[in-house]
Amino acid sequence: MTTINMATQSALAVARDLRAVMQGKVVLAGENAYHHVQRIWNGAVDHRPAVFALCETVADVQASVRIARAHNLPLSARGGGHDWAGRALRHGGLVIDLTCMRHVEVDAAAKIATVAGGATGTDVSAAVTPHGLAAVTGNVGAVGMAGFLLAGGYGPLTTRFGLAVDNLLGAELVLADGRIVWADASQNRDLFWAILGGGGNFGVVTSMRIRLHPVSEILAGIILFPWSEARSVLRGYGEMMASAPDELSMLAGALPGPDGSPVIFLGPIWSGRPEERERVIARLQSLGAPILTQIAPMTYSNLLAIYDAQVINGRHYTLQTRWLADLTPEIISAIAEAGAARTSNLSFIALHHFHGAGTRVAPDATAFGMRRKHFMIEIVAAWEPSSKDEAAVHRQWVSDLSSVLAPLALPGGYANFLTRDDHEQIGSAYGNNARRLSALKRQFDPDNIFSSTTPLPV
Ligand SMILES: Cc1cc2nc3c(=O)[nH]c(=O)nc-3n(C[C@H](O)[C@H](O)[C@H](O)COP(=O)(O)OP(=O)(O)OC[C@H]3O[C@@H](n4cnc5c(N)ncnc54)[C@H](O)[C@@H]3O)c2cc1C
């Protein structure tokens, strides 16, 4: 039998066995629903899984892991489908799809939410906002909470309350051997440490308990400056972030303006005292001559909706990331030059600043070890589906800026944006935690069943 035939046989056997036990549906390549379930955020991903298990219960997830293993079919876990590199879609394998498991239960008095493994930031925010509470989610609500959190999780409230991992109280996982376990600070402590930054490498998370915070209203929005002020605004942003209080977090970078040419943006979030709002806005506006200021008090859910509207599903994307200690003049020049030289009007550059609560966690307290102040830069090429040749040009633009930044950057990078080809960055992404993390991977997943992830250093 050829290898292709064997893979098809395995996929058919997996689908048959899953259909016999699962509460949720099973979709095979070629069936009507396949085209719909295979869609993810990045339209450039061309992975074609053989089978989707649309799980509805923890038992469905457990059966998926066990049956895929029994038939030697490679697998992946899928949450919000927002990984740009398409890790959720195992080419030729089984996708353990959690998009039907999105329930969020709120204990408002205890300020804790229990979040199912496929819930998105929007699901969480919609459940907790009516209680005057907020969770550390990513900036874009459509991103899956588990996929986002397991590799660290930078969000608008990170400066106030730490990374998403710093707010995880415990999680239920299906491990590589099919066992269902709970991990927290007192049970399965090593496993708990490992999932606080180790990504999806240790199992499929079916449920998480996360800490909530009293945040009923924030000041947020966007300020745009003309591209001619790129250097001075970025310099001012860097200076402002160097001494920013925990209550002020801010994205910045290059966005397409209304006519497609680049503009500089600041995306502030002030979660401090309302009396100080005017002062914060005035300070931001003084960084240049704004062409647009749209900042207003809003709920956290409103904020996520603003960012959701900026990132369109189904476009083609490619992305690289670096960690930067400071915005030095060389780095600012590199960003300004790259912004002006974009090969697509849709491409953008975003800087997240990490300061405040997350920096006060010890580097070895969680697998996520980057605890010094830094900027995390996303260099994102975006374009409408087109010929492969054109895609190569956009990818080159991303790669060029990343290469210029490499010698100016800190070692490593945010694992959620790295791919298995980023060997050098992966080698340093976990700092001194790499050895313990890799040993735990060998303990909990010795056969590397969960390999459709950003790999850990070997
Ligand atoms: C538009 C956009 C905005 C983003 N904004 C931010 C941001 O503000 N801050 C930030 O930190 N990151 C951000 N990211 C990155 C994002 O956190 C990662 O891409 C994350 O992996 C997406 O999770 P997902 O569940 O949506 O992805 P999916 O594509 O569904 O899954 C990606 C991988 O995550 C793992 N995974 C997902 N769910 C589970 C689970 N239940 N159990 C085990 N493993 C699981 C698996 O390895 C899976 O293959 C953004 C990405 C995009 C595309």
Side-chain angles (χ1 to χ4, degrees):
M1 213 186 286
T2 64
T3 317
I4 292 176
N5 262 340
M6 281 166 59
T8 310
Q9 294 302 327
S10 294
L12 290 174
V14 164
R16 180 198 62 216
D17 290 1
L18 283 175
R19 281 185 171 136
V21 296
M22 266 184 60
Q23 183 171 316
K25 290 197 173 54
V26 175
V27 178
L28 266 165
E31 294 181 345
N32 282 346
Y34 183 83
H35 181 64
H36 173 71
V37 297
Q38 192 224 4
R39 259 185 245 151
I40 56 170
W41 175 72
N42 186 358
V45 172
D46 58 1
H47 305 175
R48 295 198 48 89
V51 195
F52 281 80
L54 307 184
C55 299
E56 291 183 7
T57 63
V58 181
D60 284 356
V61 176
Q62 183 179 42
S64 302
V65 172
R66 287 191 163 153
I67 291 171
R69 283 204 78 164
H71 293 286
N72 284 322
L73 193 67
L75 57 79
S76 59
R78 180 213 172 127
H82 269 66
D83 171 46
W84 78 267
R87 289 174 294 168
L89 300 183
R90 186 64 185 249
H91 189 66
L94 170 72
V95 177
I96 302 177
D97 187 312
L98 301 173
T99 46
C100 301
M101 295 174 64
R102 291 170 56 174
H103 185 67
V104 179
E105 202 173 294
V106 184
D107 181 340
K111 300 194 191 69
I112 291 173
T114 305
V115 177
T120 63
T122 299
D123 296 329
V124 175
S125 184
V128 309
T129 297
H131 300 282
L133 297 168
V136 176
T137 70
N139 289 76
V140 170
V143 168
M145 260 321 260
F148 153 79
L149 178 151
L150 293 171
Y154 293 75
L157 295 176
T158 287
T159 55
R160 259 311 270 294
F161 306 118
L163 292 163
V165 282
D166 301 330
N167 291 279
L168 184 69
L169 298 169
E172 179 185 70
L173 295 96
V174 177
L175 299 181
D177 60 9
R179 274 183 305 142
I180 299 171
V181 298
W182 178 259
D184 62 20
S186 53
Q187 287 177 63
N188 292 309
R189 287 166 56 180
D190 276 347
L191 178 62
F192 185 56
W193 179 88
I195 63 171
L196 298 176
N201 278 293
F202 294 89
V204 184
V205 170
T206 48
S207 171
M208 302 178 290
R209 273 164 66 80
I210 60 171
R211 198 177 289 119
L212 304 174
H213 304 277
V215 176
S216 46
E217 197 181 67
I218 50 174
L219 180 76
I222 195 155
I223 307 186
L224 301 182
F225 296 91
W227 188 249
S228 55
E229 296 184 354
R231 284 178 168 78
S232 55
V233 173
L234 287 175
R235 192 169 54 245
Y237 165 65
E239 285 164 8
M240 203 169 163
M241 287 298 97
S243 58
D246 293 10
E247 291 83 359
L248 181 64
S249 90
M250 191 150 37
L251 290 178
L255 277 184
D259 64 354
S261 56
V263 292
I264 280 285
F265 83 96
L266 298 178
I269 295 105
W270 171 255
S271 60
R273 289 162 19 114
E275 306 83 277
E276 292 179 44
R277 285 175 180 165
E278 291 306 321
R279 188 184 55 80
V280 172
I281 297 178
R283 173 98 199 268
L284 294 172
Q285 288 179 315
S286 74
L287 294 182
I291 47 181
L292 176 89
T293 302
Q294 263 178 2
I295 300 189
M298 61 182 74
T299 65
Y300 192 76
S301 287
N302 293 148
L303 171 68
L304 297 189
I306 291 177
Y307 281 102
D308 275 324
Q310 307 295 320
V311 281
I312 310 296
N313 276 356
R315 273 190 185 149
H316 287 199
Y317 296 94
T318 192
L319 191 158
Q320 290 193 35
T321 187
R322 296 277 167 194
W323 276 329
L324 307 168
D326 293 302
L327 291 188
T328 60
E330 295 96 313
I331 289 174
I332 289 174
S333 284
I335 295 172
E337 281 164 26
R342 290 172 317 148
T343 53
S344 161
N345 278 350
L346 303 173
S347 298
F348 58 94
I349 299 169
L351 289 150
H352 301 239
H353 191 248
F354 180 78
H355 66 269
T359 62
R360 296 191 285 272
V361 175
D364 61 356
T366 62
F368 184 98
M370 168 49 88
R371 294 299 183 167
R372 58 178 285 180
K373 277 187 182 183
H374 64 272
F375 295 87
M376 187 265 284
I377 186 168
E378 294 174 52
I379 312 158
V380 187
W383 64 100
E384 297 297 355
S386 59
S387 75
K388 284 226 155 62
D389 290 352
E390 204 180 314
V393 171
H394 304 314
R395 293 202 171 100
Q396 190 61 48
W397 172 77
V398 171
S399 166
D400 286 348
L401 176 55
S402 181
S403 304
V404 172
L405 293 178
L408 308 170
L410 295 164
Y414 180 34
N416 250 340
F417 288 133
L418 300 178
T419 69
R420 56 185 56 257
D421 298 329
D422 297 315
H423 307 284
E424 200 179 324
Q425 284 182 277
I426 287 172
S428 316
Y430 304 91
N432 293 335
N433 295 332
R435 188 175 293 203
R436 181 177 176 200
L437 199 50
S438 301
L440 288 168
K441 173 72 175 175
R442 287 191 292 278
Q443 180 185 338
F444 285 98
D445 185 13
D447 300 321
N448 201 15
I449 296 304
F450 300 111
S451 57
S452 183
T453 54
T454 302
L456 299 172
V458 278

